[in-house]
């Protein structure tokens, strides 16, 4: 089966929220998301592993700034309970092509996710809004669990 997805001209892609550390008191999280801001943005790759191709990309990439005054608004709350637990706003300087947005966040008193049979597995809803000049350009929503693994 094929899937066609229609997205705004300037939109959010590839969200990833990683738990850096977690205790019952606080969780340190790292958010990564990309902002695509040009018609050919899919040709721009931020995660290129081949250094030769990356040099070609850097030599030919458009380096002029695109629109400014944008922000990514972050909301994280327990699934099924839209009361806000964590709210943040990340200023974004949009470049033609792709812009990587990264931020470390602290969630106080997180409900930790436990493996099957070892405790509860609560999930959080993460909402990312791309805002420019007071208008919402895009909204991404996904679920995640907050956990910390270590080998002993």
């Amino acid at each position: 089966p094929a899937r066609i997805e229609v997205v705004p001209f300037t939109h959010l892609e590839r969200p990833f929220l990683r738990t850096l550390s977690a205790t019952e008191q606080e969780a340190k999280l790292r958010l990564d998301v990309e902002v695509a801001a040009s018609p050919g943005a899919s040709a721009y790759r931020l995660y290129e592993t081949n250094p030769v191709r990356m040099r070609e990309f850097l030599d030919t990439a458009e380096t002029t700034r695109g629109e400014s005054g944008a922000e990514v608004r972050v909301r994280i709350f327990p699934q099924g309970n839209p009361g806000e637990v964590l709210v943040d706003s990340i200023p974004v300087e949009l470049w033609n092509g792709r812009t990587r947005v990264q931020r470390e966040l602290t969630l106080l008193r997180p409900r930790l996710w436990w493996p099957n049979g070892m405790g509860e597995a609560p999930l959080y809803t993460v909402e990312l809004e791309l805002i420019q000049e007071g208008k919402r350009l895009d909204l991404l929503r996904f679920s995640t669990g907050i956990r910390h693994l270590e080998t002993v």
Side-chain angles (χ1 to χ4, degrees), residues 8-120:
F9 178 79
T10 301
H11 61 278
L12 299 167
E13 289 186 351
R14 297 184 183 106
F16 187 69
L17 185 68
R18 177 176 40 172
T19 304
L20 301 174
S21 65
T23 66
E24 291 182 1
Q25 288 76 36
E26 71 176 23
K28 298 285 186 183
L29 310 170
R30 181 184 175 121
L31 173 69
D32 286 277
V33 65
E34 292 179 19
V35 180
S38 73
S42 61
Y44 294 88
R45 299 176 188 263
L46 291 178
Y47 299 104
E48 189 65 60
T49 56
N50 181 329
V52 173
R53 293 203 48 217
M54 183 53 116
R55 274 196 304 277
E56 291 171 5
F57 164 75
L58 291 172
D59 290 342
T60 61
E62 187 174 336
T63 57
T64 58
R65 287 194 177 128
E67 304 165 18
S68 61
E71 65 179 318
V72 174
R73 292 184 187 160
V74 180
R75 277 184 16 137
I76 300 176
F77 53 89
Q79 208 166 58
N81 181 7
E84 296 174 349
V85 173
L86 187 148
V87 179
D88 198 4
S89 179
I90 307 165
V92 179
E93 189 172 339
L94 297 178
W95 293 79
N96 292 327
R98 292 182 179 276
T99 303
R100 181 183 290 170
V101 178
Q102 299 175 322
R103 175 74 70 120
E104 288 195 11
L105 306 165
T106 301
L107 180 65
L108 299 176
R109 295 177 301 287
R111 297 177 59 219
L112 299 180
W113 184 94
W114 292 93
N116 189 19
M118 297 187 72
E120 293 184 46

